Amino acid sequence: MIQAEDPDGPRAASSSAAGRECIEWRVAKLHGTNSNYFQERLPTITQPHAPTVEYDSGRVFLKWSTALAASGPTPAYRIWSGDWPGARLPFHPHTTATLSIRLPAAGAGEGSFRVEAIASQAGPSFASPIPAACAGLHSPFSQKPLHSAGRLYTESNAPTLWKRRKEEGMPIHRVFLVHGMGNHPKGWSKSVTGLLAGLYKQYPKLAEKPLDQRIRFHEINYDDIFRGLADNWAARAAELRKLITPGASPLLTNVFDELSAAATTDNNFIWSHAADVVLYRLAAEVRMAIRTTVAKQFAEGINEDLDARQTCRFSVLAHSLGTAVAHDSMHALMAGTNAVPGGRSFSPRNVKAVCFMQIANVSRLLETEPDVYESHYRPGPSDGNDNGANYFFNCRNSWDPFPVLRPFEPVGWPAEFFREITVRHVHDKNVHGFEHYLKHPAVHIPFFRAATDDLGTPRKITRTQEDAALQAFDERALPGALALVGELNNLPFAKSDTWEKIGEVAKWFEGALSRV
Amino acid sequence: MKLFRAPAFLLAVLAAAPVLAQTCPDTQKLEPKTAQEAGDLWSGNRDDDCLGEDKCKSALCVSVGPSIEKIKGGKMAPTAALRAVFQDLEAAGKGPLYEKLRRRMGLYLAQVPEGGTFENLNGSQFEISAAQRLFESQPADTIDFELYLQEHCSTPASCTAAWREAAAVATQSTLFRRIIVASMGTGRLGMVEYLTGLDARWRHYVLGPRAQYPWELLVNGWRYRKAANLVEPPNNQFIFAHPSTALELSGRDKGQAAASLLLEAFGWNSWTWQGNETRQRFGASAILSWRTTTALAGDRIFGYGAMVHLPHSLSIGYVYRPTDLGRHSLVLGADAAKLFTKGSDARKQLLGGQ
């Protein structure tokens, strides 16, 4: 008999192979196990031994023994140079004693080499499609994959055969900018784009082509909904306040006095900042309105490019509350609707972002529906059916208190497409600020690479330039940084705290900044 | 004469050079001899939209380009253009990249519905990623263009052959993708128009005439707490502790209206959507009222009653006050009150200028 509370549960599904496959998915999702339906532990992959390395005429020659596959085939090898992910080599049958590869020595790095087999288990995996029996259920990420990110970086010092053209080049990459809490009238992104323009010029190869011929910034606006509500309440409350005396009803008097202040944004943290977060999290209708307006703006931008040149390379750069807004809105757009023909035109099968870059990510803290780890707002292969982007960069400053609560920590997202970027710099008192994050090379370099089609063998910002930028960056440039760090180090909140604490976090943060 | 012509010829070439440098080359005529050269060519051509993008000048791009415009205009079925690209691929050769793309295109074409939509097929798989790869989730078919060029440039001849194969495959894949995108233009536009209307409706609901106070948003938002996708705004709502201004008329006031503070303690309201705006249907509330006139002996400020919300923004109610003077009052909501305020334009319009 099918259990009513779980009509899709084991009893319903176990009668078929497809159903058993679905159960394996669900078990893996819940428990991260590496086993089949019968709970037999699946064999794990045996990695190759450390490769032998020979240098020969400006090239590196690596040789290694074969890996031994797990229950599924080994699709590829990844060559690592120290901590740097390198070339990816499709699996070859091991008909010789060793496998080998020759690589250009320049830029191959000074670290030791390592060869890693990319596992492909018979059980649920990130790249596998969701079994049909599980249609409608969540898609699990069953296990952490082996590291397999990026490419081998080479230096390009030789004279180039291809001379860059002087004007219009590749399709302009559209970057949607999504702001966080606070007052953000139209034009708010000027400070962000101005900063990025200055940083762009620091990299000579990148700057060979003007920024506006590579990247088109598309400012997303939704703050007018918050401000419209606040102005509405303030105006009504002011009128109503005239009709009542405190003696008649102290409660109503207090309510109207508080609402009258709603439209004031200067020195009014509650209404200018905190109210945005509370309204977005608690007032579902406000959330729906914002999600719709942002989804509309995404769709308009993407469609403009697809209509003009049938190509749209786009990314989303979101900050703070904007990470939750971007997540919810892009997922809604990609999930589509049956309300109109063409309602799925923006699904990941038809449209895919190059990169979602989440700065001070609070999407999990403010999560409602869908689950932030299982929505379309996640990374994956460029031909994946469900992942909305190829790459996902999650950026966090260790001193920023907001992402501490219920942090965004996906399990099972492949390192090839997901990167956690943790920085520790203190250049401004407001370590949570959008611009503050972007100043760090560890944040803006991946962004520039994603936005300029340079995530293969990077040529526009080489590895050497990246290392130099990181070395030269002064993490504690703010006078009094140590004192600020000392204050912020005493954060009295934990990962287990939830969104209800966000007001306290904001108050504590304000206090910490004022004491320095 | 020859000597005179030679400098003129050179001048003509030099003058044309900037123009030539601004157009895409015929990628099949380029001959990189080393991995470095091939890599630079790849990067440059990608950067300048020469591999199947709208600036591409290869023979296939030139022949397929006009088809894309016709498909956009609805004057050509996309399947014919897709098959043209596939046929070009079949005639191209036998290299490993060709084989992989052939396989993926063949699988895609097998699913293409005649006269149907491509919406549910995976057209984005034919877009080259920022890491210069195709088909990343298919290990047997993954194409890593940069790695391929690195591995096949051991000799100048093999390097040139590898380059030409990579460039051709990139062009064919990109053109294939562009045809698919062009064919979905009408659907995308429909979705954008739908979102524009939906945005207008939500804004009207949240910020418009029946805009709610924060506590009402919490109550009415409850039904959307699990909504993950795009949804329509509602056509009804709970009213909960909703304050407003009103006008009261009672016998005590001898026909003069007096302002009052009205609190709709709880109620229900409903409407229909016409376009992106609401048209009131029916609603009703239990109300509390505080009159603002100076208290007279035996008078009480507080009263209670009920109100109905009617079409054309008319809200009319009744309030009872246990007082010696004027126990029964007629209440008019703010919009209805405007009609009856002496001298109001609405009243003048209704009563023919009086």
Side-chain angles (χ1 to χ4, degrees):
Chain A
M1 190 170 90
I2 294 172
Q3 293 173 350
E5 67 271 18
D6 187 14
D8 297 318
R11 288 188 184 177
S14 62
S15 58
S16 66
R20 285 197 290 277
E21 192 185 359
C22 179
I23 291 167
E24 288 173 2
W25 276 95
R26 295 180 73 186
V27 168
K29 172 187 183 284
L30 288 169
H31 306 296
T33 55
N34 181 20
S35 63
N36 62 10
Y37 176 77
F38 299 102
Q39 301 301 296
E40 293 172 327
R41 180 71 59 188
L42 295 173
T44 53
I45 197 165
T46 302
Q47 292 295 331
H49 298 136
T52 60
V53 183
E54 295 168 11
Y55 291 87
D56 168 33
S57 304
R59 293 204 287 186
V60 176
F61 188 45
L62 300 178
K63 286 195 274 193
W64 65 93
S65 59
T66 187
L68 295 178
S71 53
T74 301
Y77 288 104
R78 170 69 65 195
I79 316 297
W80 288 79
S81 167
D83 291 331
W84 288 104
R88 179 186 160 118
L89 189 69
F91 176 77
H92 298 288
H94 209 164
T95 56
T96 60
T98 56
L99 295 166
S100 62
I101 187 172
R102 285 184 196 278
L103 303 166
E110 294 83 29
S112 58
F113 288 96
R114 178 165 61 91
V115 177
E116 196 161 41
I118 297 170
S120 173
Q121 297 283 114
S125 72
F126 180 85
S128 305
I130 301 168
C134 297
L137 301 178
H138 292 171
S139 63
F141 299 109
S142 61
Q143 60 177 16
K144 284 190 180 183
L146 302 173
H147 291 293
S148 56
R151 292 293 319 280
L152 186 71
Y153 302 130
T154 60
E155 301 280 329
S156 174
N157 296 320
T160 55
L161 191 66
W162 177 245
K163 297 296 176 194
R164 178 164 309 291
R165 298 188 304 156
K166 290 210 170 95
E167 33 53 81
E168 349 140 35
M170 72 180 296
I172 289 173
H173 189 113
R174 189 178 288 256
V175 175
F176 294 105
L177 298 167
V178 189
H179 65 75
M181 61 181 174
N183 196 22
H184 291 88
K186 280 208 170 126
W188 66 266
S189 64
K190 280 204 182 92
S191 59
V192 173
T193 58
L195 172 71
L196 286 170
L199 293 168
Y200 182 89
K201 289 178 188 155
Q202 292 176 10
Y203 305 98
K205 269 190 176 301
L206 192 66
E208 275 176 9
K209 188 181 269 195
L211 175 65
D212 61 5
Q213 285 183 22
R214 288 196 196 279
I215 300 174
R216 175 176 176 172
F217 291 107
H218 186 133
E219 176 184 286
I220 296 292
N221 289 287
Y222 63 89
D223 194 44
D224 58 319
I225 291 179
F226 287 133
R227 298 284 79 80
L229 281 168
D231 291 345
N232 202 329
W233 294 332
R236 289 186 185 191
E239 286 300 312
L240 293 167
R241 182 68 181 80
K242 293 176 197 168
L243 298 176
I244 196 162
T245 57
S249 176
L251 173 63
L252 283 178
T253 304
N254 287 340
V255 168
F256 294 152
D257 282 342
E258 189 59 46
L259 286 176
S260 295
T264 307
T265 51
D266 292 336
N267 296 318
N268 189 0
F269 182 80
I270 297 293
W271 282 109
S272 65
H273 286 70
D276 292 357
V277 178
V278 171
L279 275 173
Y280 190 80
R281 179 59 180 76
L282 279 186
E285 291 177 331
V286 174
R287 190 163 62 247
M288 297 303 120
I290 289 173
R291 171 187 297 180
T292 305
T293 205
V294 173
K296 185 201 80 162
Q297 292 172 68
F298 284 153
E300 284 172 338
I302 295 168
N303 189 51
E304 187 182 336
D305 290 344
L306 289 178
D307 203 47
R309 56 178 79 90
Q310 300 82 52
T311 298
C312 180
R313 293 192 183 107
F314 72 95
S315 295
V316 178
L317 180 58
H319 171 248
S320 189
L321 173 63
T323 59
V325 170
H327 166 271
D328 293 350
S329 307
M330 185 60 79
H331 169 81
L333 176 64
M334 290 184 163
T337 177
N338 291 326
V340 286
R344 309 240 180 259
S345 301
F346 293 90
S347 80
R349 293 172 186 230
N350 301 307
V351 149
K352 203 183 290 292
V354 172
C355 163
F356 293 145
M357 189 162 207
Q358 302 277 75
I359 292 183
N361 192 353
V362 295
S363 62
R364 185 156 175 258
L365 178 64
L366 299 176
E367 179 184 69
T368 51
E369 291 288 342
D371 185 321
V372 295
Y373 296 144
E374 297 180 3
S375 67
H376 288 306
Y377 204 79
R378 67 178 196 248
S382 56
D383 55 340
N385 280 332
D386 298 308
N387 49 286
N390 205 187
Y391 296 92
F392 192 114
F393 300 137
N394 192 55
C395 307
R396 223 204 101 187
N397 188 312
S398 296
W399 310 116
D400 183 354
F402 292 98
V404 167
L405 282 65
R406 208 153 184 260
F408 186 85
E409 293 176 332
V411 171
W413 285 15
E416 180 159 12
F417 306 117
F418 172 71
R419 193 177 300 175
E420 186 73 51
I421 299 172
T422 303
V423 292
R424 296 170 62 86
H425 65 298
V426 180
H427 278 219
D428 302 321
K429 277 176 115 175
N430 183 13
V431 295
H432 179 66
F434 200 170
E435 291 88 329
H436 185 258
Y437 271 90
L438 291 172
K439 285 180 185 176
H440 201 297
V443 174
H444 66 247
I445 287 178
F447 165 74
F448 282 138
R449 284 193 176 133
T452 60
D453 203 42
D454 207 30
L455 286 172
T457 301
R459 292 164 185 268
K460 300 178 180 91
I461 304 177
T462 64
R463 184 185 164 191
T464 304
Q465 288 169 332
E466 180 178 13
D467 290 344
L470 288 166
Q471 288 247 335
F473 186 73
D474 180 5
E475 298 246 317
R476 304 277 166 91
L478 177 73
L482 273 179
L484 180 59
V485 163
E487 286 286 340
L488 296 175
N489 211 20
N490 295 324
L491 182 72
F493 301 99
K495 284 167 84 159
S496 53
D497 286 324
T498 54
W499 75 273
E500 290 91 343
K501 296 270 189 181
I502 207 165
E504 291 176 43
V505 172
K507 211 170 163 187
W508 175 87
F509 187 50
E510 251 191 321
L513 299 190
S514 66
R515 287 190 290 275
V516 176
Chain B
M1 292 292 282
K2 278 186 185 176
L3 283 174
F4 180 78
R5 278 182 192 156
F9 172 73
L10 280 173
L11 278 174
V13 169
L14 286 170
V19 174
L20 288 172
Q22 289 174 9
T23 59
C24 289
D26 184 345
T27 55
Q28 296 302 302
K29 292 192 172 149
L30 298 174
E31 295 180 353
K33 294 182 175 41
T34 64
Q36 183 68 60
E37 287 178 3
D40 286 346
L41 273 186
W42 176 265
S43 177
N45 274 277
R46 279 279 291 166
D47 220 24
D48 293 338
D49 303 342
C50 296
L51 297 175
E53 304 282 5
D54 52 345
K55 297 179 181 64
C56 166
K57 291 289 182 272
S58 73
L60 184 62
C61 288
V62 169
S63 73
V64 170
S67 302
I68 289 178
E69 289 306 310
K70 284 185 191 166
I71 292 165
K72 276 171 67 175
K75 293 177 185 158
M76 180 176 176
T79 43
L82 289 174
R83 291 190 198 287
V85 174
F86 188 64
Q87 278 157 15
D88 183 85
L89 177 60
E90 290 203 300
K94 287 198 175 47
L97 300 191
Y98 289 127
E99 294 295 338
K100 290 178 179 181
L101 183 60
R102 218 171 266 144
R103 196 154 44 237
R104 300 318 302 177
M105 274 190 190
L107 284 170
Y108 183 88
L109 284 170
Q111 298 173 71
V112 167
E114 283 296 332
T117 176
F118 295 106
E119 222 173 71
N120 295 322
L121 307 179
N122 189 353
S124 65
Q125 65 179 299
F126 297 103
E127 178 135 8
I128 299 170
S129 77
Q132 317 310 318
R133 294 195 200 114
L134 280 173
F135 316 130
E136 284 177 328
S137 73
Q138 308 296 328
D141 288 338
T142 299
I143 296 176
D144 188 327
F145 289 100
E146 288 181 319
L147 185 62
Y148 186 76
L149 291 172
Q150 272 187 353
E151 289 178 340
H152 289 81
C153 277
S154 52
T155 67
S158 66
C159 197
T160 295
W163 156 257
R164 287 176 180 175
E165 184 183 1
V169 163
T171 299
Q172 284 150 352
S173 186
T174 302
L175 277 171
F176 202 75
R177 161 92 177 124
R178 288 179 62 210
I179 293 165
I180 294 166
V181 169
S183 74
M184 295 178 63
T186 306
R188 277 196 311 276
L189 183 62
M191 181 60 168
V192 170
E193 286 170 354
Y194 170 73
L195 284 167
T196 303
L198 188 63
D199 179 38
R201 290 191 286 285
W202 271 109
R203 283 170 177 272
H204 180 80
Y205 174 70
V206 169
L207 300 172
R210 283 300 302 182
Q212 303 163 81
Y213 287 93
W215 47 90
E216 292 180 289
L217 286 172
L218 294 180
V219 169
N220 284 305
W222 186 251
R223 68 180 122 189
Y224 291 109
R225 69 194 187 285
K226 299 259 184 216
N229 300 336
L230 299 167
V231 291
E232 289 284 344
N235 53 13
N236 52 62
Q237 69 185 172
F238 286 107
I239 301 167
F240 175 62
H242 186 98
S244 60
T245 54
L247 225 58
E248 282 196 32
L249 294 162
S250 74
R252 165 189 180 283
D253 298 308
K254 297 183 173 57
Q256 295 296 317
S260 67
L261 171 63
L262 205 67
L263 185 73
E264 295 175 72
F266 57 88
W268 177 258
N269 202 8
S270 68
W271 54 84
T272 54
W273 286 97
Q274 288 189 11
N276 297 328
E277 294 190 354
T278 53
R279 289 290 177 268
Q280 176 70 23
R281 282 186 60 219
F282 177 78
S285 309
I287 55 176
L288 308 173
S289 169
W290 287 264
R291 285 175 65 115
T292 57
T293 53
T294 307
L296 298 174
D299 198 357
R300 289 191 191 183
I301 296 176
F302 172 75
Y304 53 88
M307 177 178 261
V308 291
H309 307 293
L310 301 170
H312 306 293
S313 300
L314 286 174
S315 294
I316 300 173
Y318 163 79
V319 166
Y320 174 77
R321 282 193 177 74
T323 172
D324 293 337
L325 303 164
R327 293 184 181 211
H328 310 288
S329 298
L330 178 70
V331 176
L332 301 173
D335 285 332
K338 283 180 197 158
L339 288 175
F340 295 93
T341 305
K342 199 172 177 186
S344 79
D345 292 336
R347 177 186 159 98
K348 282 179 188 166
Q349 210 170 19
L350 262 185
L351 301 178
Q354 292 177 18

